[in-house]
Amino acid sequence: AFDWRHKILASVPPRVEGYGREVICYDLWFLFNQKGRRGVSISGNSRSNVIMNKEKYKTKLMTVYDYFKYDAKIATVGSLTPEIIITVLKEKFRRTKVFMKTSDTIKTFKNQLSRLKTWLNLGMNGVSTKYLQFYGDYFVYTRQGIFDALSRENINQKFVWRKFTGLEFVYRDFLNLKTSIAYENPIKRYWKTSNLYFIEDFAIPY
């Protein structure tokens, strides 16, 4: 059931369109989580290990709303800088004017993000950082409509198996290149670590 849930979530089509002229950006954070990975120094149940240095272990999910569509992208684990934000979102910014201000629209957006965080932290009892982007994609997709895993749009995603089986390497590179967290204990399921399938850049989860 665990594997199939993530296979299904991996079938959410990637959002490749650029943003509009005005957008709202908000960083949603989750405590770094390696739920299900055995033998690591930081697990989903060892919060006492990070309580003294919580900022270092905050997974930052950049969320965007431009009044027409939503987006969510894992940026880093730790401090979020303008350089990181630009690197993560620059391909979609184009000529966008980025702003944040007090308004009913922003309040509504933040309320939706709050429900997402509550669902993942309480409803799902926490989600591994490795799979967080899949849940972010699902959140983005369902803001526009109901997700149907058997619809033509989703079932014909040709990169799903590649994304699913190649995620361990994407996760490894994310930790090594974009965070100060050490990559530990590669999983031992060969079909998830064989690295046999090339993933196009636009299909890489994060």
Side-chain angles (χ1 to χ4, degrees):
F2 177 83
D3 286 335
W4 273 104
R5 183 204 310 164
H6 292 119
K7 287 178 186 176
I8 291 171
L9 290 177
S11 71
V12 175
R15 296 299 181 187
V16 297
E17 320 93 77
Y19 307 135
R21 288 184 58 82
E22 297 181 338
V23 303
I24 301 166
C25 293
Y26 190 79
D27 63 293
L28 193 66
W29 72 267
F30 299 84
L31 199 60
F32 180 69
N33 191 322
Q34 298 196 89
K35 180 179 179 181
R37 189 175 294 259
R38 299 179 180 179
V40 294
S41 57
I42 306 170
S43 69
N45 297 320
S46 60
R47 292 183 176 235
S48 60
N49 293 339
V50 302
I51 196 67
M52 297 300 293
N53 194 11
K54 184 182 290 187
E55 186 62 31
K56 177 182 178 181
Y57 296 103
K58 286 182 179 179
T59 302
K60 301 298 178 65
L61 183 70
M62 284 302 306
T63 58
V64 179
Y65 177 54
D66 69 354
Y67 301 100
F68 296 99
K69 52 185 172 291
Y70 296 79
D71 201 5
K73 199 77 171 175
I74 289 183
T76 188
V77 179
S79 299
L80 189 64
T81 65
E83 291 75 18
I84 292 175
I85 296 173
I86 291 173
T87 298
V88 171
L89 302 177
K90 65 181 178 181
E91 292 184 0
K92 296 184 181 180
F93 272 143
R94 299 173 186 170
R95 297 182 179 180
T96 297
K97 178 181 178 182
V98 180
F99 75 100
M100 291 184 68
K101 66 179 182 179
T102 302
S103 71
D104 290 339
T105 301
I106 291 183
K107 291 178 181 178
T108 300
F109 181 45
K110 287 187 176 181
N111 286 339
Q112 292 177 334
L113 296 179
S114 178
R115 289 196 290 271
L116 169 64
K117 191 168 184 177
T118 299
W119 173 54
L120 294 181
N121 286 339
L122 299 181
M124 303 297 293
N125 195 27
V127 170
S128 170
T129 299
K130 175 181 176 180
Y131 294 103
L132 181 60
Q133 184 63 55
F134 285 172
Y135 292 88
D137 292 340
Y138 174 77
F139 166 77
V140 169
Y141 190 93
T142 54
R143 295 312 91 190
Q144 305 299 123
I146 298 173
F147 178 73
D148 178 6
L150 298 181
S151 69
R152 182 182 297 274
E153 180 183 20
N154 297 312
I155 206 167
N156 288 339
Q157 291 295 309
K158 62 180 179 180
F159 293 106
V160 172
W161 183 246
R162 303 182 191 185
K163 287 169 62 176
F164 183 67
T165 59
L167 189 61
E168 181 71 12
F169 298 96
V170 175
Y171 176 67
R172 177 200 62 194
D173 292 344
F174 169 73
L175 292 184
N176 290 339
L177 300 176
K178 298 182 180 180
T179 81
S180 61
I181 305 295
Y183 173 71
E184 299 180 276
N185 289 27
I187 57 177
K188 297 179 180 180
R189 303 170 76 186
Y190 176 75
W191 61 276
K192 278 192 173 184
T193 59
S194 60
N195 203 24
L196 296 176
Y197 305 99
F198 173 75
I199 308 176
E200 294 284 356
D201 287 345
F202 77 87
I204 293 176
Y206 49 85

